């Protein structure tokens, strides 16, 4: 989906131009009784992408590919900021972390054809080259978190405000 921009109900084409101000994002739903927010952050920073790249992820570049965390509570906001400070101090990455951390205003689901894309298109060259290695890394680093039967999300496509997420 899309978050962090100015245009209500943005389309993929608007987000791709960079004029909407939105980042392409994934909404993560988890049960804090089973997985802590800290664990979500650990996966985000160790598997999901390179948090030191400004406006770029893999072969994709532009502000819509910026590293960002949109939190749904003050507690998440504070934990994420402290986590990044700790990572920077420990020099886990060769360059400073540029991940934006801010409260979620609204999350707009991407168009239906974007939902569950990797699951529905596992042989797509972009998925094979860019995403499947991350799945392999997730399995290796966090085998207890990997679920071979992903929950498909394409059925619930409505905008969510930060206090609803």
């Amino acid at each position: 989906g899309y978050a962090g921009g100015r245009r209500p109900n943005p389309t993929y084409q608007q987000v791709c131009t960079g004029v909407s101000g939105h980042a392409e994002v994934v909404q993560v739903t988890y049960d804090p009784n089973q997985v802590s927010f800290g664990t979500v952050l650990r996966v985000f920073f160790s598997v999901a992408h390179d948090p030191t790249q400004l406006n770029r992820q893999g072969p994709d570049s532009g502000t819509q590919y910026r590293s960002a965390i949109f939190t749904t509570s003050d507690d998440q906001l504070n934990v994420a900021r402290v986590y990044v400070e700790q990572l920077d101090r420990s020099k886990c990455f060769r360059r400073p972390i540029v991940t934006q951390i801010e409260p979620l205003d609204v999350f707009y689901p991407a168009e239906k054809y974007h939902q569950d894309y990797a699951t529905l298109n596992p042989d797509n060259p972009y998925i094979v080259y860019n995403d499947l290695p991350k799945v392999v890394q997730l399995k290796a680093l966090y085998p207890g978190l990997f679920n071979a039967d992903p929950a498909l999300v394409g059925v619930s496509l409505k905008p969510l405000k930060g206090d609803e997420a």
Side-chain angles (χ1 to χ4, degrees):
Y2 316 117
R6 301 169 299 281
R7 176 177 287 243
N9 300 304
T11 64
Y12 179 65
Q13 287 72 24
Q14 292 165 339
V15 171
C16 283
T17 65
V19 298
S20 75
H22 291 281
E24 292 186 25
V25 299
V26 174
Q27 181 183 27
V28 177
T29 304
Y30 66 98
D31 180 349
N33 294 317
Q34 294 187 24
V35 177
S36 70
F37 183 62
T39 298
V40 173
L41 291 173
R42 241 184 4 259
V43 171
F44 178 79
F45 284 103
S46 64
V47 176
H49 73 296
D50 181 347
T52 68
Q53 290 187 329
L54 184 63
N55 300 329
R56 171 174 213 82
Q57 289 302 314
D60 303 312
S61 64
T63 57
Q64 69 271 28
Y65 299 109
R66 66 190 180 269
S67 177
I69 297 172
F70 297 97
T71 60
T72 58
S73 71
D74 288 340
D75 187 51
Q76 284 183 351
L77 184 73
N78 294 328
V79 168
R81 286 181 176 159
V82 168
Y83 193 88
V84 167
E85 289 171 11
Q86 290 173 344
L87 287 176
D88 267 338
R89 275 197 312 272
S90 70
K91 306 284 187 213
C92 286
F93 297 96
R94 287 192 265 182
R95 296 180 307 241
I97 293 172
V98 296
T99 303
Q100 293 178 332
I101 302 169
E102 59 189 71
L104 176 68
D105 180 33
V106 63
F107 169 83
Y108 295 102
E111 292 77 0
K112 190 169 179 136
Y113 69 92
H114 286 291
Q115 305 303 321
D116 308 308
Y117 192 83
T119 300
L120 299 175
N121 300 279
D123 298 324
N124 176 289
Y126 185 93
I127 299 300
V128 170
Y129 182 76
N130 295 290
D131 296 339
L132 289 184
K134 294 175 185 179
V135 173
V136 170
Q137 187 175 8
L138 175 67
K139 286 182 195 179
L141 292 175
Y142 307 103
L145 296 178
F146 180 75
N147 183 351
D149 297 317
L152 298 181
V153 297
V155 287
S156 60
L157 298 176
K158 66 177 186 142
L160 293 175
K161 297 244 183 243
D163 57 355
E164 297 174 303

